[in-house]
Amino acid sequence: MAEVLTQAAPAPQPLVALTEDEVLFRDNVRQFAEKSIRPKVKEMDEKGVFDHEIIDQFFQLGLMGIEIPEQYGGAGGRFFESILAVEEISRVDPSAGVVVDVQNTLVNNALLHWTTDDQKRRYLPKMSSNTVGAYALSEAGSGSDAFALQTRAELKGSEYVLNGRKMWITNGKEAGVFIMLATVDPSAGYKGVTAFIVEKSFSGFSVGKKEDKLGIRASSTCELIMEDCRVPKENVLGEVGKGYKIAIETLNEGRIGIGAQMVGLARGAWEYATKYAQERKQFGKSIGEFQGIQFQIAQMATEIEAARMMVYNAARMKDAGMNFVKEAAMTKLFASQVAERVASLSLEIYGGYGFTKDYPVEKYYRDAKIGKIYEGTSNMQLQTIAKLVMGGK
Ligand SMILES: Cc1cc2nc3c(=O)[nH]c(=O)nc-3n(C[C@H](O)[C@H](O)[C@H](O)COP(=O)(O)OP(=O)(O)OC[C@H]3O[C@@H](n4cnc5c(N)ncnc54)[C@H](O)[C@@H]3O)c2cc1C
């Protein structure tokens, strides 16, 4: 008689497995990025200006409110989809990737988790349909030491009056809504830090200098100036004195987004280099026939795969409600290292041509550098990881 075999439980999905809906979503974003962003990348980089038509298209495609529930006009998706969108767009243009990244992983994220019902009704429909957001924590004197911020918020009647300057604010030029971190009591240290929802139209608010940068040049990075800027009390986000918690928690998610930006960037550079290696001839054959080049292409592909698995796993952990702080820090640290290495090697595969602006790889090389700096420098990620792993987590 044949032995009856007991069936094992279905095997868990591989880390990089996507659902049918996710594959469809990713392919749609990829197609859009190829068709509508790719032709504009060089000019946007040269001019240092982001094309408004692309922002309009982001809104039309639902890419600016991916996790916002449908009842507020959003796409009702998961964090993982935001990550897929950032990766696919950054493959074509990391500047475009960060516009979508900041909107979804920082601004909408903060608004989804910390707003009152009234604030949800006032802000979520805008963020899904026509308003770019920005996240304003850093100042000239406070970067890594973010909670040493000096922007002051004083309660006067029914309003808070904000005074101070923010620096380095992504989307500063395009944004209509700002998540603004200020202190209600400088002597209280981080416990004075409070988050506000500030609109561009509020009196006393203005956008200052736009930085002229090495990379992600099309993404605006601006100073924000508040001179007796009047913010209604109803626009405190979360609780007074709890802004530090909002900043820490949103940036934890944001770091996975930067990981996705860096994986997309690395893939974009790698694809160009791999194609070029098959076309460029030296010594009577394509350079891709030399084992030295093949090994470089293989090494890069391996590193990109490893970084992507870290990004996807951290995003899945977030969607599953698990603690992902360590994984997010590791993801950003590693993906930004991979992006820099891959962009550099891709440029070398192009030889002298790679060093010119006639070919696309030098831009990826310039764009890669930011991954190690914003949303916490690599040293800050290492500090977080060390604290957690040495504490047994
Ligand atoms: C293009 C761009 C976009 C940005 N977008 C935003 C944004 O949208 N919103 C926002 O709020 N901010 C934004 N930033 C600011 C960014 O987050 C900060 O630049 C970053 O956190 C580093 O701060 P810093 O520049 O003051 O450098 P610093 O903090 O002065 O660091 C300088 C160096 O010292 C190291 N260092 C500092 N402290 C330690 C330590 N304890 N141990 C070891 N090493 C240390 C750092 O790693 C770094 O190498 C952006 C920056 C750039 C360049």
Side-chain angles (χ1 to χ4, degrees):
M1 208 169 75
E3 213 176 310
V4 179
L5 297 174
T6 45
Q7 204 71 54
Q13 290 290 309
L15 280 187
V16 288
L18 304 182
T19 65
E20 264 178 49
D21 284 351
E22 286 165 349
V23 170
L24 197 67
F25 175 80
R26 181 201 60 192
D27 292 351
N28 282 340
V29 178
R30 186 177 294 175
Q31 224 174 16
F32 160 72
E34 283 295 346
K35 190 164 154 268
S36 304
I37 303 178
R38 180 91 71 196
K40 295 178 172 169
V41 172
K42 193 167 190 302
E43 192 185 342
M44 292 199 300
D45 179 63
E46 279 166 4
K47 290 189 174 158
V49 175
F50 203 79
D51 187 303
H52 265 275
E53 208 184 331
I54 298 178
I55 294 182
D56 294 343
Q57 289 168 324
F58 283 156
F59 280 111
Q60 284 155 18
L61 291 170
L63 296 176
M64 297 298 263
I66 295 174
E67 289 173 80
I68 295 180
E70 288 172 10
Q71 70 185 107
Y72 297 110
R78 289 181 196 276
F79 179 67
F80 194 82
E81 284 162 39
S82 304
I83 292 309
L84 286 178
V86 172
E87 180 190 345
E88 286 306 324
I89 295 168
S90 302
R91 169 179 163 265
V92 171
D93 185 9
S95 284
V98 80
V99 173
V100 170
D101 176 71
V102 166
Q103 179 90 1
N104 286 284
T105 75
L106 294 180
V107 178
N108 292 348
N109 171 12
L111 293 174
L112 281 166
H113 291 105
W114 301 91
T115 37
T116 61
D117 287 347
D118 170 59
Q119 290 170 338
K120 279 189 179 60
R121 275 193 295 274
R122 285 195 286 138
Y123 288 103
L124 294 183
K126 287 186 189 199
M127 306 316 290
S128 328
S129 61
N130 57 24
T131 305
V132 175
Y135 184 85
L137 174 63
S138 305
E139 298 179 3
S142 59
S144 300
D145 188 12
F147 299 137
L149 57 84
Q150 297 289 310
T151 297
R152 187 75 208 274
E154 287 173 280
L155 183 60
K156 290 191 177 157
S158 62
E159 293 175 324
Y160 277 92
V161 178
L162 269 55
N163 279 289
R165 282 168 184 249
K166 293 288 170 183
M167 203 168 165
W168 312 116
I169 307 309
T170 301
N171 293 351
K173 189 161 162 273
E174 297 82 13
V177 165
F178 298 79
I179 306 294
M180 183 69 62
L181 282 303
T183 179
V184 293
D185 179 4
S187 68
Y190 74 91
K191 289 187 175 162
V193 175
T194 304
F196 297 87
I197 307 171
V198 173
E199 296 185 28
K200 191 180 188 162
S201 59
F202 285 178
S203 85
F205 177 88
S206 60
V207 178
K209 177 174 167 256
K210 179 172 155 290
E211 303 297 335
D212 186 6
K213 310 194 296 297
L214 170 76
I216 57 162
R217 290 176 47 77
S219 153
S220 68
T221 308
C222 302
E223 183 187 28
L224 307 179
I225 302 162
M226 281 150 296
E227 284 168 340
D228 286 339
C229 172
R230 304 196 161 268
V231 181
K233 239 171 31 177
E234 304 79 64
N235 276 32
V236 169
L237 180 63
E239 284 174 50
V240 173
K242 291 283 168 65
Y244 71 96
K245 206 165 158 11
I246 297 178
I248 289 171
E249 292 191 10
T250 44
L251 284 168
N252 281 336
E253 284 188 36
R255 281 174 192 136
I256 308 175
I258 301 305
Q261 183 198 28
M262 292 294 120
V263 168
L265 184 159
R267 257 185 59 217
W270 180 89
E271 285 171 12
Y272 272 119
T274 304
K275 189 160 173 283
Y276 185 79
Q278 283 152 354
E279 290 162 3
R280 171 71 174 170
K281 289 205 164 44
Q282 289 291 280
F283 302 98
K285 42 169 105 165
S286 68
I287 59 169
E289 287 179 63
F290 298 120
Q291 200 177 47
I293 296 280
Q294 289 172 2
F295 283 6
Q296 288 177 327
I297 288 172
Q299 178 69 34
M300 290 191 282
T302 306
E303 292 192 21
I304 294 169
E305 182 74 358
R308 181 189 290 112
M309 282 194 204
M310 289 179 78
V311 170
Y312 286 10
N313 188 49
R316 293 277 193 227
M317 286 176 79
K318 194 263 147 195
D319 279 335
M322 297 165 75
N323 185 321
F324 59 90
V325 176
K326 181 184 74 182
E327 286 74 12
M330 287 178 164
T331 291
K332 179 180 180 289
L333 175 76
F334 185 69
S336 59
Q337 292 170 344
V338 167
E340 199 178 283
R341 278 199 295 271
V342 169
S344 173
L345 205 47
S346 297
L347 190 156
E348 288 171 33
I349 286 178
Y350 269 76
Y353 298 103
F355 202 62
T356 71
K357 288 192 184 283
D358 292 337
Y359 289 84
V361 278
E362 62 85 32
K363 175 176 176 295
Y364 286 104
Y365 183 61
R366 286 186 285 110
D367 287 352
K369 198 72 224 174
I370 193 59
K372 292 183 169 180
I373 299 171
Y374 58 13
E375 299 204 26
T377 64
S378 288
N379 274 358
M380 291 300 104
Q381 306 312 317
L382 288 166
Q383 194 183 71
T384 302
I385 297 163
K387 199 161 70 187
L388 292 168
V389 297
M390 292 172 83
K393 296 216 169 117

